[in-house]
Amino acid sequence: MLTKKLLSAIALSALAIGSLAIHSVAQQSQQPSIQDSTRSPVSLEIHHMTVSVADVEAASQWYSEKLGFTETKRVVLDNGNVQIAWMEIPGFRIDLAQVQGSGRPEEQNALPPQHMLSQGWRHLAFAVDDVDRAYEALSDRGVEFISPPATYDPPGIRIVYFKDIDGNILELYSDF
């Protein structure tokens, strides 16, 4: 008899606790969390990056033929001193900018991993499903790679570096 009363009390307590938990969760979802109230009101999304190039025509052709980008717009600024080609793949845009009088600093010619000794943006990485398959496909299109694909475990990645027509370092990257 005591056992039935004890089981009934436990069952009612469990229902009450469950009900309170559901009520608490519902109220929390209606109120901003502490983390939300301390976050910046700025919402950032990747839009584009700009690469300074020696010849916008040659660079546009290279990114189209070798990597499959599509030129979607051409912009001329500053009385023709700046020419920009908007190059797009799904979800990403690179602006190739030819600026009259621009030049390439010597430290920009370092190869990986030494290229990391100079501070600033160092390379652009493209995620691929299979680095080796992408390496072969781009090699067939005439892309010249800096070295063969390499595996780093940890952290469990496979990468390979190559340069665009202006010597900017690009990377193919995949997790495994």
Side-chain angles (χ1 to χ4, degrees):
M1 184 87 106
L2 184 59
T3 307
K4 280 187 177 180
K5 286 184 181 181
L6 185 58
L7 287 175
S8 294
I10 291 171
L12 286 174
S13 295
L15 286 172
I17 291 170
S19 177
L20 286 173
I22 291 169
H23 178 72
S24 175
V25 168
Q27 283 202 333
Q28 285 177 0
S29 68
Q30 294 172 358
Q31 299 172 357
S33 71
I34 293 170
Q35 184 180 11
D36 289 343
S37 64
T38 61
R39 291 183 67 165
S40 170
V42 177
S43 175
L44 301 177
E45 292 181 16
I46 297 294
H47 186 266
H48 76 274
M49 69 170 292
T50 300
V51 178
S52 181
V53 298
D55 180 340
V56 73
E57 288 296 330
S60 174
Q61 183 176 350
W62 190 91
Y63 275 82
S64 294
E65 290 176 2
K66 307 297 185 197
L67 302 183
F69 278 77
T70 301
E71 183 174 328
T72 58
K73 188 171 187 176
R74 186 65 67 104
V75 179
V76 177
L77 306 171
D78 193 25
N79 296 320
N81 291 320
V82 178
Q83 296 179 50
I84 303 171
W86 291 11
M87 306 299 296
E88 297 190 44
I89 56 175
F92 187 65
R93 186 179 97 204
I94 294 177
D95 291 357
L96 304 174
Q98 177 183 330
V99 180
Q100 187 174 1
S102 67
R104 186 171 186 80
E106 184 58 37
E107 65 268 9
Q108 293 264 345
N109 295 323
L111 299 177
Q114 290 78 20
H115 76 300
M116 298 298 284
L117 295 174
S118 177
Q119 295 179 355
W121 296 99
R122 303 316 314 146
H123 65 264
L124 172 63
F126 294 99
V128 295
D129 291 332
D130 183 328
V131 165
D132 296 290
R133 194 172 54 210
Y135 172 82
E136 291 298 324
L138 293 183
S139 292
D140 290 347
R141 294 182 194 170
V143 171
E144 294 181 25
F145 286 84
I146 295 169
S147 62
T151 298
Y152 295 94
D153 192 18
I157 61 171
R158 188 144 173 86
I159 64 170
V160 66
Y161 292 103
F162 60 104
K163 289 186 175 185
D164 72 5
I165 192 170
D166 286 285
N168 298 300
I169 297 173
L170 305 169
E171 174 187 344
L172 301 177
Y173 170 101
S174 68
D175 293 314
F176 61 84

